Amino acid sequence: VSEVVNGLADALGSDRPLGPLGIMPVGTANDIVDTLGIPRHLDAAAQVIATGRTRQIDLGEVNGRLFVNNSAIGLEPFVTLIQQRFRRIQGPPRYLLAALRGIAARPRWNMRLEWDGGEYAGPVTLVAVGNGPRSGGLFYMAPHADPSDGRLTFVYGFRAGRLDLLRLLPRTMRPGPGSYVEMDGISEVHARWLRVRIDPSAPAHADGEVFAPAIEELEYQVLPARLQVLVP
């Protein structure tokens, strides 16, 4: 989906509405599919496309690249790089095993975050920027993100040790009460834009694709109601 949206933007320009876009759920995690209520069965998904009902959703943009569901800096793309090395394991278990290996490595960075309404500077383990709430089929990294509210939802936080990271992991799988964003040292923010400065450089992904294995500066913004999607 992300490649199609970026291709449309290249052809038509990202300053105009894109679509309507029909989605067939053939991905590994299908996060945006579930968020929009599109059925997983291919025949049913094809029927959704045939009916022609559309919904306008926001798009996120990071360093000129569009994303539909989410982007992240630090731990999450670090885990993505690990899971890309797996060949025999598919689906959500692949992401879970990669997460455990990422936690064992205990990466950390120093970051400066600025957004419309606040700022933070200090140690950071992860920054998750969500247009949708879920990633990897399991993890609600931005649990209160809404793809139609005209805002990005980002979460940032720091965990120094492996045990603290392990305690955080099961709570990333809770979309409602008890989510990891309720834990001390984890903050969830709704904003229209976000700037991130990183030391040392960190990996970053958009919709699961690592576009930078090591980057020091990122600029995020939301593009409200920029994509038309065919939905039930």
Side-chain angles (χ1 to χ4, degrees), residues 5-55:
V5 167
N6 278 277
L8 287 171
D10 288 343
L12 303 174
S14 62
D15 58 344
R16 58 178 291 180
L18 304 176
L21 181 68
I23 303 176
M24 296 294 283
V26 294
T28 301
N30 289 311
D31 296 302
I32 197 65
V33 165
D34 291 343
T35 296
L36 297 177
I38 297 170
R40 292 270 191 124
H41 194 280
L42 294 182
D43 288 344
Q47 185 60 41
V48 167
I49 294 172
T51 60
R53 179 172 177 264
T54 62
R55 173 182 172 184

Side-chain angles (χ1 to χ4, degrees), residues 190-214:
H190 304 286
R192 293 185 299 274
W193 57 266
L194 169 68
R195 298 189 188 101
V196 185
R197 305 293 182 267
I198 312 158
D199 180 33
S201 58
H205 83 64
D207 282 338
E209 180 179 346
V210 177
F211 64 87

Side-chain angles (χ1 to χ4, degrees), residues 199-224:
D199 180 33
S201 58
H205 83 64
D207 282 338
E209 180 179 346
V210 177
F211 64 87
I215 195 166
E216 296 178 352
E217 298 185 3
L218 298 108
E219 302 264 351
Y220 286 91
Q221 66 172 326
V222 64
L223 305 178

Side-chain angles (χ1 to χ4, degrees), residues 36-193:
L36 297 177
I38 297 170
R40 292 270 191 124
H41 194 280
L42 294 182
D43 288 344
Q47 185 60 41
V48 167
I49 294 172
T51 60
R53 179 172 177 264
T54 62
R55 173 182 172 184
Q56 288 185 304
I57 67 171
D58 307 331
L59 289 174
E61 184 180 59
V62 53
N63 288 20
R65 181 182 181 84
L66 301 179
F67 59 93
V68 180
N69 187 59
N70 79 312
S71 176
I73 312 152
L75 182 62
E76 191 177 338
F78 185 79
V79 168
T80 298
L81 289 170
I82 294 172
Q83 66 89 14
Q84 287 176 351
R85 299 198 295 265
F86 298 160
R87 293 293 180 265
R88 297 183 179 180
I89 304 172
Q90 298 298 324
R94 174 174 174 163
Y95 292 93
L96 181 58
L97 179 58
L100 291 171
R101 291 196 177 181
I103 286 170
R106 198 176 58 179
R108 61 172 290 178
W109 298 269
N110 290 306
M111 300 190 193
R112 180 175 182 82
L113 282 64
E114 300 175 87
W115 62 92
D116 50 315
E119 62 181 16
Y120 167 83
V124 174
T125 304
L126 62 88
V127 177
V129 183
N131 189 41
R134 197 185 73 194
S135 62
L138 283 174
F139 307 107
Y140 291 86
M141 300 306 297
H144 300 106
D146 180 342
S148 300
D149 67 355
R151 300 179 299 177
L152 295 173
T153 299
F154 69 92
V155 178
Y156 66 93
F158 174 67
R159 284 293 182 271
R162 295 185 182 95
L163 184 57
D164 283 340
L165 281 168
L166 282 171
R167 288 172 176 158
L168 180 147
L169 180 62
R171 294 182 63 169
T172 65
M173 303 179 202
R174 299 180 187 176
S179 167
Y180 84 113
V181 300
E182 298 175 8
M183 300 175 73
D184 291 341
I186 306 294
S187 299
E188 184 180 41
V189 180
H190 304 286
R192 293 185 299 274
W193 57 266

